[in-house]
Amino acid sequence: MTEQELYAYVAGELSRTDWEALEHAYGPAGDIPPYLAGLLDSDADRQSEALGMLDMAVLHQGSLYSATPPAALFVAAVLDHPRTLAEHESHYPWDERARPLRAALIEWLGQIADSAAHGERTRGEDSNGPDVTAACRAVRPALYKSVQRYLSEPHPAIREAAVGAVTHLLRAPDLAEHIPHAAGHLRHTLAHSSSRRERAACAVTLGLWGQDTTAYLDDADPAVATCAALADRNAGEVRATALLLAALERPAEADAWFWPHLPHFDGWLRFTLLRVAMERTTLEELLPAALAMLRMSSHFTVEWDWGPLMVKAFPEGHRAGTPLTQAQRTFLRAALEHDDDWGNTAGRIIWLRKAGLPSERQALCGLL
């Protein structure tokens, strides 16, 4: 395709939408078409800048807008263009990855699908504009059709991005019929890939889709086995629980398994492992892992480790005069001795109140 033909094609695709009638995070979306066209620019820096703008305006911090669906459809339509194979660093200084633009675009589409699926099955609160979420959900079949072909892509970064995007897209109830086919691709990757990161991502995805991952609990790579253990279907598996607890007893090592974080996890891996392990164990079973987690906690991580652990230790809320169990005593003593948890944060006080405990450190010492 010549430059002139490419220009005509892009102009034709973009002219199908009345962008001025749509909005993004900063107002009317009339300025979006040049950035979409910039994704196919011959200058890799211009491509990176265009993607950065789309991420900031069309998918601002996970929020969806009326301009999001047509922008996503345009991206899906041009994914296979050779210029999306241009490799460059991210527009953002905190993202040091160098990868093909195609991988970044696929990841972006996956983030849209993730936002669109929020609250879908639970009918949770929708914070986007009227009908915006519904419009984004309506384009998921087209996005899936474009992205799924890259599940067997030779380039590892593109293949990884496709796995992440398909993970979110197949959360759509009307796309569930495609799960068995996609799962076949992931099992093939688990059997043949030498990449820890890629194999672990496949194990997590299979679990999220409700697929059987028990075969991977015996995987030679503890990272892959632990990720397989996260599947809801493994909640009653003793081996799965043992894997989660073993990883949590070495939380720094578990966090170091993947960098950057796998797209499946919100923050450090240890936070997800802890959340699932707490659902499956008693305080006594969890205690060695809980103590290890406390040693890594701080007032910055209260919401993900210290606080939930405090409620786990006192699930019914402590009642004055009620004697502590040995496990509660051991846990509380460790929490009190770790100075980094006692910064000036309101979050800590909220969690202590949830556990029915005094909010002051000295008063807590009195319980011991």
Side-chain angles (χ1 to χ4, degrees):
M1 185 181 290
T2 66
E3 286 292 322
Q4 188 174 4
E5 290 172 332
L6 176 61
Y7 177 81
Y9 169 76
V10 170
E13 288 291 313
L14 295 177
S15 66
R16 297 178 184 178
T17 300
D18 181 4
W19 295 96
E20 290 290 350
L22 304 177
E23 292 188 344
H24 55 55
Y26 303 106
D31 57 345
I32 289 300
Y35 288 102
L36 289 170
L39 295 173
L40 299 182
D41 199 279
S42 58
D43 184 345
D45 289 339
R46 168 62 179 146
Q47 290 180 316
S48 181
E49 178 188 359
L51 178 60
M53 177 59 181
L54 293 179
D55 193 46
M56 288 186 292
V58 181
L59 185 66
H60 181 69
Q61 296 181 355
S63 295
L64 304 172
Y65 305 89
S66 57
T68 306
L73 288 173
F74 176 86
V75 169
V78 302
L79 271 182
D80 63 348
H81 193 280
R83 283 192 177 168
T84 65
L85 291 174
E87 190 157 323
H88 51 78
E89 294 182 355
S90 169
H91 182 70
Y92 300 108
W94 59 83
D95 186 354
E96 299 177 350
R97 289 175 293 178
R99 55 180 178 162
L101 174 66
R102 183 175 295 169
L105 290 174
I106 292 173
E107 184 177 278
W108 185 74
L109 292 176
Q111 291 168 346
I112 291 174
D114 183 28
S115 293
H118 182 71
E120 185 170 18
R121 295 184 183 275
T122 60
R123 296 184 180 181
E125 182 180 351
D126 187 356
S127 60
N128 300 307
D131 302 323
V132 167
T133 301
C136 288
R137 290 173 179 171
V139 304
R140 289 182 299 192
L143 303 188
Y144 175 75
K145 183 178 180 180
S146 179
V147 168
Q148 60 85 25
R149 73 187 75 170
Y150 298 106
L151 289 174
S152 54
E153 161 71 33
H155 196 294
I158 296 175
R159 193 168 62 241
E160 177 185 326
V163 169
V166 167
T167 299
H168 298 306
L169 286 164
L170 291 189
R171 291 164 62 189
D174 57 337
L175 292 177
E177 64 185 274
H178 298 288
I179 287 178
H181 178 261
H185 281 283
L186 269 56
R187 293 190 188 282
H188 181 271
T189 299
L190 271 159
H192 296 93
S193 175
S194 60
S195 166
R196 159 183 279 182
R197 179 182 179 84
E198 183 173 31
R199 297 182 70 244
C202 289
V204 175
T205 297
L206 288 171
L208 290 173
W209 289 343
Q211 300 289 296
D212 185 1
T213 63
T214 52
Y216 308 114
L217 297 178
D218 297 319
D219 197 275
D221 189 331
V224 175
T226 302
C227 284
L230 289 168
D232 287 344
R233 287 183 58 162
N234 291 328
E237 278 280 345
V238 175
R239 289 179 299 161
T241 301
L243 284 164
L244 296 177
L245 293 177
L248 285 169
E249 289 177 27
R250 302 183 301 276
E253 181 180 323
D255 281 344
W257 282 343
F258 312 114
W259 182 257
H261 307 321
L262 290 181
H264 307 73
F265 304 127
D266 183 13
W268 292 106
L269 174 60
R270 70 180 189 271
F271 299 150
T272 298
L273 298 180
L274 178 63
R275 175 180 56 78
V276 176
M278 287 194 300
E279 294 171 355
R280 302 181 186 180
T281 59
T282 65
L283 177 62
E284 287 72 18
E285 294 168 330
L286 184 66
L287 191 57
L291 299 180
M293 288 289 286
L294 284 177
R295 289 191 286 271
M296 285 193 68
S297 65
S298 73
H299 60 275
F300 295 112
T301 65
V302 163
E303 297 297 319
W304 300 278
D305 49 21
W306 192 91
L309 279 169
M310 195 65 68
V311 172
K312 177 68 175 178
F314 299 92
E316 305 299 327
H318 176 67
R319 295 181 181 179
T322 304
L324 304 182
T325 66
Q326 185 58 48
Q328 288 174 327
R329 187 175 293 277
T330 300
F331 171 79
L332 193 56
R333 182 177 293 111
L336 286 165
E337 290 174 351
H338 191 60
D339 291 337
D340 288 348
D341 293 329
W342 295 93
N344 185 21
T345 171
R348 174 177 51 79
I349 296 174
I350 292 172
W351 283 103
L352 286 169
R353 288 177 177 170
K354 286 182 180 180
L357 295 168
S359 59
E360 296 300 323
R361 194 175 185 180
Q362 191 60 42
L364 278 170
C365 290
L367 294 180
L368 297 175

